Amino acid sequence: MSSIYEDRVKEILANSSDDGKVRSRESTSLEFKESFGFKSLAKYLKTICAFANTQGGVLVFGVTDSPRTLKGIDKDKFDQIKIEQLSTYLSEYFSPEIHWDIGIVDFKRKHYGFIAIEEAGDKPVICKKNSGDILKDGDIYYRYRGTSKRIEFPELKRMQIEIREKERKLWMEHIEKISRIGPKNVALLDLYSGKMESSNIANNFVIDEELLASLKNEVSFVQEGHFKEKEGAPTLKLVGNLAPVDTVVVPNLDPNKDYPFLVKHLADELQIRPYDAQVLVWKLGLKSSKRYSIEVNAGASTIFKYSKYALTAIRDELAKHDDKKEYLANASKEYQSRKKG
């Protein structure tokens, strides 16, 4: 994504006068900052969320305000921004995930930094934690011309309509495909968990996460001997028998991007106490699998961080029990007995 935005940032900077005055104005997809500083992080996060909830956008660092003048940034200082740290902040304050990138461009012997944000495919992106007077738990931020603020009713209503229309179209597409293929020839692939279910497969199987990522946008399944996709369409043909395995292969993952949750974050997402989240982590054995958790250094000690699969596993476990309070109380007794033992 960075190469696309690099070209866009260069075009914005090039649209300037001989004395360095930038002609481009801040808009629904563009905002200028003179420099990057973590003291202003909450403001950046608010704008990033607003861009994601609108049509995407880019934050450009190195342009002064009133007037907008090409100043540049300290490249070495901007390079010190840790992507994993910014990813952790975004996952801590917003849900669902925001897709973004960061980079530096050179223009007229000066350096300019940028943070590029994709339009969210799963809207709305909601703030889930307070930060002073800037970020408020439960707020949805939206981009209005040159400002980022809490969404107003007309835009929220339009977003809801777009969500329903998108879901309706997806359902119609699925129904049309099932009708054309025939229900007996259809297998369901869960792009979140990697599980595939079919009446023609004796046992469910799980697809490796790295392959699953490529399948989401590039590959369609064709069951040999049943039907063919149109010529030229990418396909993955399953031939022969599937051999069972004892473990699920998990590719190398980024500790901050792919394991965004601490125990307290799991608790917030599940609306339970952090202690209860810790009990369920133990009960489900989530610390024993890289699919669910990873141990990272935190100064002189180590901590566990958890993936979205850990969150799903706990959520699914809680959904099995009608009386969650009783279940958690019993699980806590088991946990305490284990610790005493």
Side-chain angles (χ1 to χ4, degrees), residues 131-172:
S131 179
D133 295 329
I134 299 172
L135 299 176
K136 296 298 180 182
D137 183 14
D139 274 0
I140 300 170
Y141 300 113
Y142 198 81
R143 188 71 178 175
Y144 294 91
R145 292 191 179 182
T147 185
S148 302
K149 62 181 184 178
R150 186 178 182 182
I151 195 169
E152 296 179 359
F153 178 77
E155 287 71 37
L156 179 59
K157 184 68 175 179
R158 184 164 61 246
M159 186 183 293
Q160 292 173 333
I161 293 173
E162 290 174 354
I163 292 170
R164 288 197 295 268
E165 180 63 16
K166 184 178 180 180
E167 290 180 348
R168 187 191 68 80
K169 288 182 178 179
L170 283 174
W171 275 113
M172 291 304 298

Side-chain angles (χ1 to χ4, degrees), residues 21-40:
K21 299 295 190 297
V22 179
R23 296 189 180 96
S24 299
R25 295 179 177 275
E26 292 185 329
S27 65
T28 56
S29 60
L30 175 64
E31 180 157 318
F32 295 114
K33 296 293 181 184
E34 184 171 343
S35 61
F36 181 94
F38 273 100
K39 290 182 179 179
S40 300

